[in-house]
Amino acid sequence: MQVQTFDVITIEYWEYLVLFFYLIVVYLYFARQKNLRIKSQPEYRWFMPGLFAKLFGAIFFSLIYFYYYRGGDTTEYFYSSVSVVRLAFEDPVSFLRVWLGENSLAARELFTERTGKPFGYLFFDDRQYMVVRLVTPFTFLCMRSFLITTVVFSSVSYIGIWKLYQTLYRYFPRIPKQLAIAVLLMPSSVMWGSAILKDTITFSAFCWFIHALDNVWFRKVDRVSNVVALIVTSLLMVWVKPYIFMVLLPSVTVWVSYTRVSRIRNAAIKYMVLPIGAVIMTVGMLVLLNQLGEQFGKFSLQNSLESIVITQKDLSTNQEYGNNRFDVGELENNWASVLSKFPVATTAALFRPFLTECNNFVMVLSGLENLFILSLFVRLLIKTRVIFLISAIVGNPLVMTCFTFSLLYGFVTGITTPNFGALVRFKIPLLPMFMAGMYITIFLVEERKRLRGRDQTFRFENYRNGDPYVKRNAQGLPM
């Protein structure tokens, strides 16, 4: 007799009742956290709106996949974790073996007809099965409810995203609304970063990594706990989506290194140190990423070129993608050919799909979001006249980091992602960085205009460590 697998999603009536009480409890808890902190930490004004957006995204996503799509990767991750939870009740020793140990053919045979078997394509893929491992405790605590597990999983992931907002707010607290839009409220991040998917895990880990790095390197506070956070979030990204970590590492190295270099007052020494530091940093990154090649698998430096070319060949021949796919053009098996696609691949990641390329409700939402991003980018170009944008990137380490990561990550996702549906999901880590970079640059343009109106001089170095106006005002000093 064939062992049970799960093909039909079910949401029982009791799940809605339990969800209602859960939402009340989580509201009371998070509202209390806000009330305790808002006097000393004004950014908590956006704590609850961000949470509500996150919960809405989780519920909306669950219902869309229940009523409209009738399943997908998210439900198969969930039902695979249900099998693992059932095995815990039937055979605790076997449960520990498959949950924390190997995911081999012999391990899969430990599942029985009563437990059901995890989906094979998930179980035998280390990165896919890592999601099942991480979701299993939530499935157990949430009584094996797809709806409630998604919402609880989403709520926990919100913590990392909030950490990134706090970090950016610490630097530029006079644009709290703009930063909230960038980090907490972008529709793609809210929806695709709230489901039982790889993206929810890696997006939260990505955000928390930046917060922890800032605390360890720049603020020098709570170093032990933040070093632990750096290690854990790095491992999560490497285990689940290593290419995020591969792009993030050189980007934050730019942040750390350039912040140090920008403090050098002697221009001759500064411009001598910059190229030397860039070469050392590049070589160091290549050596480190090469050493981690085994962990990255097909995303390693040795295998990445082949993976990119194979993906694009699949795109050009596979009809499964239909009209929802896009093509960056023919690729040859060399880096010169791949890098020549930088403009079209990066543009696709940052601004596509356009509204004219959307053919269903979910894609239309993404198209509207991209229209908003594109309009903000055009506004940025007009306000800065391009020259000031370049000056802001060169003159402010945080702005440089935001745009460096956005462009590198946009290129990686654009060149390797064959269709718009996947692109919308995969690109969510670049959204807060790209949006924050644009909002901060616009703020700096307006600051220059404000200071010039007062016959004062605008200097980028004054904003290197954040907004000097707020810092001086907090100390009771005149501007």
Side-chain angles (χ1 to χ4, degrees):
M1 181 178 294
Q2 186 176 353
V3 177
Q4 177 186 3
T5 56
F6 302 93
D7 296 316
V8 180
I9 311 172
T10 59
I11 297 180
E12 305 292 343
Y13 290 115
W14 64 265
E15 297 181 47
Y16 291 100
L17 181 63
V18 173
L19 176 63
F20 174 76
F21 285 106
Y22 166 77
L23 292 175
I24 292 176
V25 171
V26 78
Y27 170 79
L28 293 174
Y29 174 78
F30 279 91
R32 175 172 171 76
Q33 299 304 310
K34 169 197 169 184
N35 293 333
L36 289 174
R37 292 171 170 79
I38 194 167
K39 288 185 178 179
S40 59
Q41 297 173 274
E43 71 269 22
Y44 269 85
R45 174 190 173 191
W46 289 96
F47 188 55
M48 297 306 290
L51 176 66
F52 291 151
K54 193 73 171 170
L55 294 175
F56 173 81
I59 295 171
F60 178 76
F61 185 94
S62 298
L63 297 181
I64 284 289
Y65 269 78
F66 174 69
Y67 289 109
Y68 183 74
Y69 290 113
R70 300 301 298 171
D73 287 350
T74 181
T75 56
E76 293 176 359
Y77 283 129
F78 169 73
Y79 281 130
S80 294
S81 72
V82 168
S83 294
V84 179
V85 170
R86 287 178 175 174
L87 184 62
F89 289 99
E90 185 170 293
D91 186 347
V93 175
S94 295
F95 159 74
L96 291 175
R97 178 179 170 185
V98 300
W99 181 43
L100 301 175
E102 59 182 345
N103 50 319
S104 62
L105 182 61
R108 192 166 185 257
E109 292 304 316
L110 295 172
F111 293 93
T112 68
E113 182 180 347
R114 288 186 297 274
T115 64
K117 284 189 177 183
F119 288 90
Y121 83 97
L122 298 179
F123 188 81
F124 296 121
D125 186 312
D126 291 341
R127 306 196 193 288
Q128 303 268 31
Y129 191 59
M130 181 56 65
V131 179
V132 178
R133 295 183 198 270
L134 295 171
V135 170
T136 293
F138 294 91
T139 304
F140 176 81
L141 294 173
C142 297
M143 301 169 286
R144 292 176 288 185
S145 163
F146 170 65
L147 178 61
I148 299 172
T149 301
T150 301
V151 172
V152 175
F153 191 63
S154 172
S155 302
V156 174
S157 73
Y158 177 66
I159 298 173
I161 298 165
W162 175 250
K163 296 290 186 182
L164 177 59
Y165 176 74
Q166 285 188 299
T167 298
L168 296 176
Y169 177 89
R170 184 177 77 82
Y171 283 93
F172 294 97
R174 277 195 285 167
I175 51 172
K177 179 180 178 181
Q178 292 91 326
L179 294 178
I181 292 172
V183 180
L184 306 176
L185 303 177
M186 291 300 290
S188 289
S189 301
V190 167
M191 181 172 176
W192 299 108
S194 302
I196 301 174
L197 292 170
K198 288 181 178 181
D199 310 278
T200 302
I201 298 166
T202 52
F203 184 48
S204 182
F206 162 81
C207 293
W208 204 325
F209 179 95
I210 296 174
H211 173 78
L213 178 68
D214 182 60
N215 282 342
V216 169
W217 192 265
F218 297 109
R219 298 185 64 196
K220 298 179 173 59
V221 297
D222 301 326
R223 283 191 164 180
V224 174
S225 61
N226 281 289
V227 166
V228 172
L230 281 173
I231 294 171
V232 172
T233 54
S234 298
L235 289 174
L236 286 174
M237 285 185 279
V238 170
W239 285 339
V240 180
K241 282 192 173 185
Y243 63 87
I244 296 179
F245 183 74
M246 291 179 70
V247 177
L248 177 61
L249 188 59
S251 300
V252 296
T253 302
V254 168
W255 186 19
V256 170
S257 303
Y258 190 69
T259 299
R260 296 289 186 181
V261 172
S262 64
R263 292 174 181 172
I264 300 174
R265 294 185 178 275
N266 188 297
I269 296 177
K270 179 185 294 187
Y271 290 112
M272 181 176 65
V273 169
L274 272 175
I276 297 174
V279 171
I280 294 174
M281 182 185 71
T282 302
V283 172
M285 287 300 100
L286 291 174
V287 171
L288 178 60
L289 293 175
N290 188 61
Q291 290 296 317
L292 293 172
E294 185 177 344
Q295 295 293 326
F296 295 150
K298 70 177 182 178
F299 301 107
S300 67
L301 293 179
Q302 301 93 322
N303 300 326
S304 57
L305 178 60
E306 183 181 359
S307 298
I308 291 171
V309 174
I310 290 175
T311 299
Q312 287 304 315
K313 285 184 178 179
D314 172 66
L315 165 65
S316 62
T317 59
N318 194 336
Q319 297 302 315
E320 180 182 348
Y321 301 127
N323 295 326
N324 204 33
R325 64 182 182 177
F326 66 95
D327 191 355
V328 298
E330 186 177 349
L331 288 178
E332 297 178 6
N333 195 18
N334 60 73
W335 281 111
S337 177
V338 171
L339 293 176
S340 70
K341 306 301 180 183
F342 183 89
V344 63
T346 306
T347 299
L350 294 176
F351 305 118
R352 296 177 70 181
F354 302 124
L355 267 177
T356 54
E357 298 171 319
C358 301
N359 52 21
N360 60 57
F361 174 71
V362 174
M363 294 302 294
V364 166
L365 292 179
S366 179
L368 291 171
E369 177 185 73
N370 289 332
L371 179 62
F372 173 71
I373 296 172
L374 181 58
S375 64
L376 182 64
F377 183 68
V378 171
R379 178 189 170 198
L380 172 71
L381 295 180
I382 293 172
K383 274 186 166 290
T384 63
R385 297 179 182 178
V386 181
I387 299 299
F388 187 87
L389 172 60
I390 297 172
S391 299
I393 292 173
V394 175
N396 187 280
L398 183 57
V399 173
M400 176 180 284
T401 304
C402 287
F403 283 111
T404 298
F405 177 82
S406 300
L407 293 176
L408 289 178
Y409 188 80
F411 172 63
V412 170
T413 53
I415 199 71
T416 58
T417 307
N419 69 89
F420 290 128
L423 182 65
V424 170
R425 286 171 47 188
F426 296 167
K427 77 177 189 179
I428 62 174
L430 75 77
L431 290 177
M433 302 299 282
F434 187 50
M435 295 291 291
M438 289 194 290
Y439 278 130
I440 292 171
T441 304
I442 291 173
F443 168 77
L444 293 175
V445 171
E446 293 173 347
E447 273 294 279
R448 183 181 66 168
K449 181 179 179 181
R450 181 182 70 86
L451 291 174
R452 285 182 172 180
R454 298 182 178 184
D455 294 326
Q456 296 176 345
T457 303
F458 174 88
R459 294 186 178 90
F460 279 111
E461 55 265 30
N462 293 338
Y463 295 81
R464 183 177 56 221
N465 298 316
D467 188 344
Y469 176 85
V470 174
K471 289 180 171 59
R472 292 178 64 85
N473 194 45
Q475 298 169 359
L477 299 174
M479 284 297 294

